Amino acid sequence: MQATSRRCRWASIPGPNMREAASMYGTAVAVFLVILVAALQGSVPPESPFPYHIPLDPEGTLELSWNVSYVQEDVHFQLLVRGLKAGVLFGMSDRGELENADLVVLWTDGGRSYFADAWSDQKGRIHLDNQQDYQLLQAQGTPDGLVLLFKRPFATCDPKDYLIEDGTVHLVYGILEEPFQSLEAINISSLHTGLQRVQLLKPEVPTPAVPADTRTMEIRAPDVLIPSEETTYWCYITELPQGFPRHHIVMYEPIVTEGNEALVHHMEVFQCAATFESFPHFSGPCDSKMKPQRLSYCRHVLAAWALGAKAFYYPEEAGLAFGGPGSSRYLRLEVHYHNPLKIPGRRDSSGIRLYYTATLRRFDAGIMELGLVYTPVMAIPPKETAFVLTGYCTDKCTQLALPSSGVHIFASQLHTHLTGRKVVTVLARDGRETEIVNRDNHYSPHFQEIRMLKKVVSVHQGDVLITSCTYNTEDRKLATVGGFGILEEMCVNYVHYYPQTQLELCKSAVDPGFLQKYFHLVNRFNSEDVCTCPQATVPQQFASVPWNSFSRDVLRALYAFAPISMHCNRSSAVRFQGEWDLQPLPEIVSPLEEPTPHCPTRGAQSPAGPTVVNIGRGRA
């Protein structure tokens, strides 16, 4: 089909008045949505054909809504462009860069307007894609602006296209302020551009009923003046009422101050450790030198939300306990403000609304830490593009600590610090990897949320949970060691499960004695001495390693075969009884195969060129 025969029309000239236009638009959209709902074959919740939405840019010029059809394996997008000038580009890339991106572009040459599936090369130059996989469904003028409706399959098997999969998706955008004679003439470096992170493929999990006696509690920032800095993590300490009894949290949802939707990036509520009777009140940047040291003991996650996420529900048979004896009254709210334009003077009282009930459910939900112990013996060499560290929850630990009926994981929150790029947790049984608990191939430390699993994962006695993190340290000169500091690293999966057990932490690290053998070995094969004196700390020893192909490969091999020290810990931080040092790595005889993308069957041939969009200039 020729490009000129494919047209999407919106406002005509002369334009109708505002009320008539709104009526016409409402009718057109109603008809379209009926067709769309039918096309999605029941995958759309009845209350909204586009249940997910986020602002793309801080000024609110672009707003994205979307829906997912797992039946047809495609995503329907609705992009609202306020104050359209000469066009817009939108797409996806590996880490949010404008180079090597999969794009859809709307632009004008000053006479006609065009819509096309495109891609950018490593220099940021834009090219028309030979395979047009973004399908424009409608372009419509509205009182709010131009609305573009289009769709794209999860997988296209086009090497120039981004594979839409579970986990984080880095969305990119650009605003065109002047006409361009061709797609190739668009200069990305001259555009107003940005990125937004989101989980596009939301799981289709039924919404449980909320108990009739449910009450709410709002944990909100206290009228914070958002700093005019690109990134701020704000910490605020609050407390539950004196004598607050035991309850179950059954759901929670975000509260975002109106007008700050594009600035509030993600939020978390932590409960402080019951070890301390009191915690000092504090409200300020989390990295402030004035922050009390004791706040580092407020790390038990109660709730976590990130842009694009809706309300989080616990399964009907379980709830997260808080309040009552043995539970701290003190809570820490952490709000991540993303203010790339450094907008001054914005005040914010965003937070999270907890829904809780005094009618306790059958099971307490628990949170278990999987992955690596926070220790410097696990380190990443500098200048690495994809270095992998792996932590284990061994069969010996699950056999001892889990109930005979097992536990059921229904949600997961992945966590690393700044160099983390991928995280995956796999369940293994009898030496065979059987299923993925959670995977994020485009993980970002700046986008962390508790995510519902598409399918509940049951873990039984004797099972193994393997958590691997991939790191990029290209911009670092020294080794990055494990630890609590933001410039150190972590590899954690906080899994949410029921019924709660005493097993709160199931993690590992390489045996320290074998690491010392590594330092001595590197010393023997290098002219530069590695500090192996008894008084040297592990970070000091790593700092003195001459990083060459030998030292890098041997460290990688060490982590792949050396025995581990297991932390099979109770909630009291005491290990379960047993021998946990010098434990062999779990033997995996059958790893899971990488999933093969399902390429859609193609009907009509892709258009030879861009789709012409007839954009009128009347009032809409």
Side-chain angles (χ1 to χ4, degrees):
M1 181 181 295
Q2 295 299 314
T4 53
S5 65
R6 300 181 67 220
R7 298 176 182 267
C8 289
R9 301 182 180 272
W10 63 298
S12 59
I13 302 175
N17 63 39
M18 186 68 73
R19 182 174 297 178
E20 291 172 339
S23 175
M24 292 164 58
Y25 168 67
T27 303
V29 170
V31 171
F32 172 77
L33 293 182
V34 169
I35 297 171
L36 177 60
V37 171
L40 291 177
Q41 299 184 12
S43 67
V44 182
E47 70 274 8
S48 171
F50 292 100
Y52 311 110
H53 60 273
I54 58 167
L56 288 181
D57 67 308
E59 296 174 317
T61 304
L62 303 176
E63 186 172 310
L64 181 72
S65 303
W66 76 95
N67 206 333
V68 180
S69 171
Y70 285 102
V71 176
Q72 297 183 350
E73 295 189 353
D74 60 24
V75 181
H76 284 71
F77 297 97
Q78 176 180 272
L79 182 62
L80 170 62
V81 186
R82 294 184 173 92
L84 177 68
K85 296 180 180 178
V88 63
L89 65 82
F90 165 83
M92 296 164 270
S93 65
D94 184 46
R95 306 298 308 171
E97 61 278 2
L98 266 297
E99 298 77 26
N100 298 314
D102 175 15
L103 302 171
V104 60
V105 186
L106 174 75
W107 82 99
T108 179
D109 59 9
R112 289 207 235 183
S113 295
Y114 307 90
F115 177 96
D117 185 343
W119 57 277
S120 61
D121 59 26
Q122 60 185 2
K123 295 183 178 180
R125 293 176 299 208
I126 299 179
H127 307 272
L128 182 71
D129 200 329
N130 293 329
Q131 186 173 300
Q132 294 284 298
D133 293 295
Y134 282 101
Q135 180 184 350
L136 180 63
L137 302 174
Q138 190 178 47
Q140 178 68 50
T142 78
D144 292 327
L146 175 69
V147 173
L148 295 175
L149 295 165
F150 52 96
K151 68 175 183 177
R152 214 213 77 173
F154 297 171
T156 66
C157 297
D158 178 350
K160 300 300 184 185
D161 284 354
Y162 181 93
L163 173 64
I164 302 175
E165 53 191 345
D166 294 337
T168 303
V169 177
H170 290 71
L171 303 176
V172 296
Y173 64 85
I175 297 172
L176 281 61
E177 297 187 350
E178 60 184 33
F180 290 91
Q181 292 305 308
S182 67
L183 187 66
E184 290 73 15
I186 298 174
N187 184 354
I188 285 183
S189 63
S190 67
L191 306 181
H192 170 61
T193 60
L195 77 95
Q196 190 62 276
R197 300 176 183 92
V198 72
Q199 182 194 23
L200 280 181
L201 301 189
K202 302 289 187 180
E204 292 182 308
V205 179
T207 302
V210 175
D213 66 343
T214 297
R215 302 180 66 184
T216 63
M217 174 186 299
E218 296 183 355
I219 314 296
R220 304 179 67 153
D223 192 31
V224 171
L225 178 63
I226 301 176
S228 54
E229 299 176 8
E230 181 169 347
T231 299
T232 302
Y233 286 84
W234 194 275
C235 284
Y236 169 64
I237 293 290
T238 186
E239 59 185 291
L240 300 174
Q242 191 78 35
F244 186 79
R246 182 180 175 86
H247 289 82
H248 268 165
I249 296 173
V250 295
M251 70 165 283
Y252 59 82
E253 63 184 0
I255 312 165
V256 180
T257 299
E258 186 175 356
N260 293 343
E261 291 83 359
L263 301 180
V264 180
H265 192 269
H266 70 259
M267 301 180 284
E268 294 188 79
V269 176
F270 302 89
Q271 189 165 34
C272 299
T275 315
F276 301 96
E277 290 186 4
S278 66
F279 283 80
H281 285 268
F282 175 77
S283 180
C286 298
D287 60 356
S288 168
K289 294 180 180 179
M290 303 300 293
K291 187 184 79 170
Q293 185 63 34
R294 188 170 290 187
L295 268 60
S296 61
Y297 292 92
C298 303
R299 297 190 295 110
H300 179 69
V301 179
L302 286 185
W305 170 88
L307 263 172
K310 299 181 72 180
F312 181 93
Y313 291 82
Y314 280 86
E316 289 184 346
E317 61 271 28
L320 185 66
F322 80 130
S327 174
S328 175
R329 294 193 301 112
Y330 293 88
L331 308 177
R332 175 168 68 92
L333 171 69
E334 182 175 300
V335 183
H336 173 199
Y337 295 111
H338 181 58
N339 188 5
L341 299 182
K342 301 182 179 180
I343 301 170
R346 291 284 187 91
R347 305 202 74 91
D348 185 72
S349 297
S350 299
I352 290 179
R353 182 180 294 114
L354 304 176
Y355 289 73
Y356 61 97
T357 173
T359 307
L360 301 183
R361 294 182 167 185
R362 180 182 175 190
F363 298 115
D364 282 346
I367 301 174
M368 187 189 307
E369 288 190 38
L370 307 176
L372 289 173
V373 182
Y374 309 134
T375 169
V377 301
M378 304 301 297
I380 308 108
K383 310 301 179 184
E384 292 283 346
T385 58
F387 194 90
V388 180
L389 294 179
T390 299
Y392 300 90
C393 178
T394 62
D395 53 350
K396 181 177 178 180
C397 183
T398 60
Q399 184 68 49
L400 182 65
L402 296 187
S404 57
S405 57
V407 297
H408 311 288
I409 300 174
F410 61 89
S412 162
Q413 183 186 21
L414 306 174
H415 178 76
T416 75
H417 284 171
L418 300 179
T419 67
R421 295 295 181 267
K422 296 182 182 180
V423 186
V424 59
T425 296
V426 180
L427 173 70
R429 183 172 296 154
D430 299 324
R432 297 178 177 274
E433 293 182 351
T434 60
E435 58 184 317
I436 300 292
V437 177
N438 194 4
R439 179 206 298 268
D440 195 335
N441 286 337
H442 299 274
Y443 172 85
S444 170
H446 304 294
F447 186 69
Q448 301 184 33
E449 61 180 345
I450 301 173
R451 290 177 179 165
M452 297 293 293
L453 303 185
K454 290 181 179 178
K455 172 182 171 293
V456 172
V457 176
S458 296
V459 185
H460 297 285
Q461 292 177 340
D463 286 351
V464 178
L465 291 160
I466 305 167
T467 301
S468 296
C469 295
T470 304
Y471 302 93
N472 182 299
T473 57
E474 286 181 292
D475 61 346
R476 302 210 171 175
K477 296 180 180 179
L478 297 175
T480 301
V481 300
F484 289 95
I486 192 63
L487 295 179
E488 297 171 328
E489 264 308 339
M490 292 184 174
C491 178
V492 187
N493 186 353
Y494 299 99
V495 292
H496 295 247
Y497 72 97
Y498 68 90
Q500 186 180 31
T501 71
Q502 281 296 306
L503 180 60
E504 187 165 294
L505 188 148
C506 192
K507 303 163 78 174
S508 71
V510 71
D511 176 75
F514 271 71
L515 181 64
Q516 289 305 313
K517 294 180 180 180
Y518 164 78
F519 290 132
H520 284 285
L521 179 65
V522 171
N523 243 345
R524 293 175 58 188
F525 287 88
N526 284 279
S527 56
E528 302 175 49
D529 286 339
V530 177
C531 184
T532 57
C533 43
Q535 66 269 27
T537 64
V538 170
Q540 287 172 333
Q541 290 176 296
F542 270 119
S544 65
V545 170
W547 292 110
N548 50 43
S549 59
F550 176 78
S551 56
R552 293 171 187 275
D553 291 345
V554 173
L555 183 63
R556 189 178 284 108
L558 175 81
Y559 289 146
F561 84 88
I564 55 177
S565 173
M566 265 302 301
H567 286 230
C568 185
N569 293 8
R570 300 175 186 270
S571 53
S572 60
V574 176
R575 294 189 195 186
F576 280 84
Q577 188 173 2
E579 180 55 51
W580 299 109
D581 293 328
L582 291 171
Q583 297 296 296
L585 292 179
E587 184 179 359
I588 303 300
V589 297
S590 177
L592 273 176
E593 294 183 2
E594 287 291 323
T596 303
H598 175 256
C599 301
T601 303
R602 302 201 171 275
Q605 187 176 359
S606 298
T611 299
V612 178
V613 184
N614 187 16
I615 300 179
R617 297 297 180 186
R619 294 172 60 193

